[in-house]
Amino acid sequence: MSKVICAHAVSVDGFISGRTPDSQEEFGRGLGDAPMLFDWYFSGDTPSRVFDGFKLSEPSARLFDDFAARIGAVVAGRATYEHSSGFGSGSPHPTAPLFVVSHRPVTDLAGPQTHVTTGVADAVAAARAVAGGKDVGVMGGALATEALKEGLVDELVLHQVPVLLGGGRRFFHELPDHVRLRLRQAVAAPGVTHLHYEVLR
C-alpha cells in the first residue's frame, strides 16, 4: 500500500512561519539577514527534475526529488490552501492532484482540486484512490497533527533550517500522546538539514 508522508521546512525551534500572517513579513519582523525557511529551494546550482524553477544544492536536490517523485496525490488543510492563494487553482505538486480538507465550503476550487468535508482519513483514502500506487503527501501543521492522531502518517520529513524564529505558527500542534519516531536518514546540505523519520506504531 502507498505511504502517507508529511514534509515541511521548519526552523530549529519548530515553526513554519513567523508571528505575522501576511506574506511580506511571513517569518516575523526584524530578522534582517536571517535565513528564511525556503531559501534552499532556490540557492543552489542543481535544477530539480520535478519542480520547474527550483535550483537546489546537489544533496538537497537528490533527496527532494526522490521524495517528490514518490508523490501521487496531495492532501492539504484549508489554512494551508488559503495561505498559498489556492495554489493558483492548481496543486503544490506539478503532477499530483490536490484534496482540500475543510468542513466549511470552499468556493474557488478549480482544476485538479477536490474538496473533502469529512476529515483527513477520507481525504487520504480519496487521494490514495487516484495516486496510482504512489504515496500521498499531507500538508499543513494542523492537518499533519490530525493525521498523526489518527495513525495515518508513515513518514515525516523535516527540512530543518538553521534559524530560531522565536515564535509564530508551529508545525506540530498538541497531540494526545507521544509519537515515537525512528531516524532513517539525515542529510546535511547548505542552508538546511534534511531529517527523514519513520513513524513507529
Side-chain angles (χ1 to χ4, degrees):
M1 180 181 286
S2 65
K3 293 184 177 180
V4 175
I5 303 171
C6 296
H8 210 293
V10 300
S11 66
V12 172
D13 49 351
F15 294 101
I16 58 175
S17 68
R19 296 176 176 88
T20 56
D22 60 284
S23 59
Q24 294 300 313
E25 298 187 14
E26 182 177 359
F27 301 107
R29 294 183 173 89
L31 285 178
D33 295 327
M36 295 297 94
L37 298 187
F38 302 104
D39 286 355
W40 58 277
Y41 284 166
F42 309 105
S43 59
D45 55 10
T46 304
S48 170
R49 303 187 315 270
V50 181
F51 282 75
D52 289 339
F54 282 26
K55 293 191 74 174
L56 310 97
S57 68
E58 191 280 330
S60 287
R62 185 172 2 103
L63 181 140
F64 180 81
D65 283 347
D66 284 350
F67 276 102
R70 292 172 53 182
I71 300 300
V74 177
V75 177
R78 186 189 186 102
T80 298
Y81 177 80
E82 291 180 346
H83 185 73
S84 303
S85 302
F87 298 105
S89 299
S91 171
H93 191 284
T95 61
L98 172 66
F99 293 80
V100 181
V101 181
S102 176
H103 298 297
R104 295 180 286 122
V106 182
T107 58
D108 54 348
L109 291 174
Q113 301 176 345
T114 300
H115 182 201
V116 179
T117 62
T118 51
V120 65
D122 286 344
V124 167
R128 273 196 166 121
V130 303
K134 288 189 171 184
D135 296 333
V136 173
V138 172
M139 293 184 66
L143 196 70
T145 302
E146 191 60 35
L148 282 166
K149 288 179 183 177
E150 298 194 27
L152 298 171
V153 180
D154 299 296
E155 298 178 20
L156 289 171
V157 182
L158 302 180
H159 306 293
Q160 190 181 76
V161 176
V163 62
L164 296 168
L165 291 181
R169 292 173 54 235
R170 291 195 176 276
F171 183 41
F172 298 108
H173 296 218
E174 187 172 338
L175 289 162
D177 201 355
H178 66 276
V179 176
R180 294 174 59 238
L181 307 173
R182 175 184 292 127
L183 182 64
R184 295 183 58 180
Q185 187 180 25
V187 176
V192 62
T193 299
H194 307 283
L195 303 170
H196 175 201
Y197 295 96
E198 175 187 359
V199 178
L200 302 179
R201 296 187 177 90

